[in-house]
Amino acid sequence: MNTPLTSVAWVMFASFIGSLGSVGLKAGARNLKFTIPALATNWQLMGGIAGYLISWVFFMLGIKHGDLSVLYPMVSLGYVFTLFWSKLFFGEALTRSKFVALGLILVGVGLLGLGTR
Amino acid sequence: MLNDKPQGGTLALVDDQPEADILLNPKTLPQSDGPRISTDRQKRMALWMVIAFTLLASVAQIFIKTGANALNKVPAGSVTALALGSMHFQISTTVFAAITSIPLMGGLALYGVGAVMMVLALQHGELSVLYPVISLSYVWVAILSVLIFHEHMNAFRVAGIAVIIGGVAILGRSGSRASDPGK
């Protein structure tokens, strides 16, 4: 099946927004307090959840057309974005083992995509 | 988690709201609710919670797939969702079927439970370690597709599953190692 470039673009955009959502969730999780007012005013957490929902809408737009075995693995590109966000926003170390692990994951996801054809 | 450096862009999200920072920074509070610097045990727990989240999310996805497939068979049209006197609020049959679909709503509910677990997990451990662990959901989906939808297991799938698990194992090691400073 042919995958239109617009579908690829939507899915990539979705994974980008999703990775930003993960930053919101992590930032919000650091200030987590289990009372309803505290949760409702945890704007980072709420922003993270909103990011995920928006990302889901774009993903759905993207997978309307095109080959799922190509589009679905592309979501894993979000992990690459997240690696850089965690350095930028949380000062996490980008170690070699993280890059190796991420590389393996991307290869594995690609292999699964090939196996789904 | 708390050894944030005050300088640089690392705290940009919090710096925008200094009053929130003072309120929420446990260092400025007389008592904080629980230890905020994650122990190795908490970091390992966080990893396992993300792994559990991926299983939940994959099961949810299969529910949603089943529910969405059923939606395609719903004839187009509209139904009255709410009748107030002479006013009839119409919604499309597809929307009505979606709202009342048990697999669809059940799948979304599972996602909700999974999201709560994910946030709890993110309290401890690094985002750069925990987030890529979500790739295990690809592994679960591949396994569940074979078990439930009787898709064929092939060499690509076996290799993909093995390579992803290898990558996650490396992350797991770097995530629960004591030498890795907790963030």
Side-chain angles (χ1 to χ4, degrees):
Chain A
M1 200 207 276
N2 215 11
T3 304
L5 269 179
T6 47
S7 291
V8 172
W10 283 131
V11 171
M12 282 189 75
F13 188 61
S15 58
F16 180 75
I17 299 288
S19 74
L20 286 176
S22 76
V23 172
L25 287 190
K26 170 70 180 164
R30 303 199 305 180
N31 301 329
L32 209 58
K33 282 199 181 71
F34 295 99
T35 62
I36 289 165
L39 286 175
T41 55
N42 191 332
W43 60 276
Q44 295 158 324
L45 191 69
M46 293 301 143
I49 294 171
Y52 268 111
L53 293 178
I54 295 167
S55 133
W56 193 70
V57 171
F58 285 119
F59 178 68
M60 286 295 159
L61 273 177
I63 61 170
K64 260 185 146 171
H65 306 285
D67 192 344
L68 268 184
S69 68
V70 174
L71 293 175
Y72 193 42
M74 289 189 60
V75 178
S76 60
L77 284 176
Y79 309 143
V80 182
F81 298 129
T82 304
L83 200 64
F84 290 103
W85 297 144
S86 28
K87 167 79 178 158
L88 186 67
F89 290 108
F90 307 114
E92 294 179 7
L94 298 184
T95 60
R96 197 175 57 183
S97 62
K98 284 179 192 170
F99 281 109
V100 171
L102 196 60
L104 283 177
I105 287 169
L106 293 180
V107 169
V109 171
L111 285 170
L112 278 185
L114 287 174
T116 315
R117 266 161 197 275
Chain B
M1 216 193 261
L2 270 181
N3 40 358
D4 300 313
K5 297 155 218 90
Q7 81 283 16
T10 56
L11 260 185
L13 281 171
V14 180
D15 281 343
D16 293 337
Q17 280 211 337
E19 72 282 7
D21 190 24
I22 293 161
L23 282 174
L24 294 170
N25 187 348
K27 277 178 190 165
T28 61
L29 289 173
Q31 62 201 45
S32 66
D33 38 9
R36 287 293 179 137
I37 289 165
S38 308
T39 62
D40 285 355
R41 191 166 169 273
Q42 284 173 321
K43 286 195 228 168
R44 272 195 301 274
M45 254 328 262
L47 263 170
W48 284 109
M49 281 176 79
V50 176
I51 292 171
F53 158 76
T54 60
L55 180 58
L56 268 184
S58 311
V59 173
Q61 202 177 318
I62 284 173
F63 274 119
I64 289 171
K65 187 179 172 182
T66 316
N69 285 345
L71 280 192
N72 291 335
K73 299 187 189 100
V74 175
S78 61
V79 288
T80 303
L82 185 66
L84 286 175
S86 58
M87 291 199 294
H88 289 254
F89 294 93
Q90 303 272 318
I91 57 170
S92 88
T93 46
T94 316
V95 172
F96 182 75
I99 296 169
T100 53
S101 156
I102 290 169
L104 213 52
M105 291 298 128
L108 287 180
L110 275 184
Y111 255 124
V113 173
V116 172
M117 290 181 65
M118 191 67 204
V119 172
L120 291 178
L122 281 175
Q123 286 189 99
H124 307 287
E126 296 175 278
L127 181 64
S128 53
V129 168
L130 295 179
Y131 197 66
V133 174
I134 297 175
S135 63
L136 275 182
S137 58
Y138 288 100
V139 171
W140 296 119
V141 167
I143 292 172
L144 292 171
S145 311
V146 171
L147 289 181
I148 295 173
F149 297 111
H150 304 292
E151 292 180 14
H152 290 286
M153 189 52 95
N154 54 40
F156 281 121
R157 282 188 156 168
V158 174
I161 289 171
V163 172
I164 293 176
I165 291 177
V168 171
I170 293 176
L171 281 177
R173 266 173 56 99
S174 77
S176 51
R177 235 190 348 232
S179 57
D180 234 3
K183 286 272 162 59

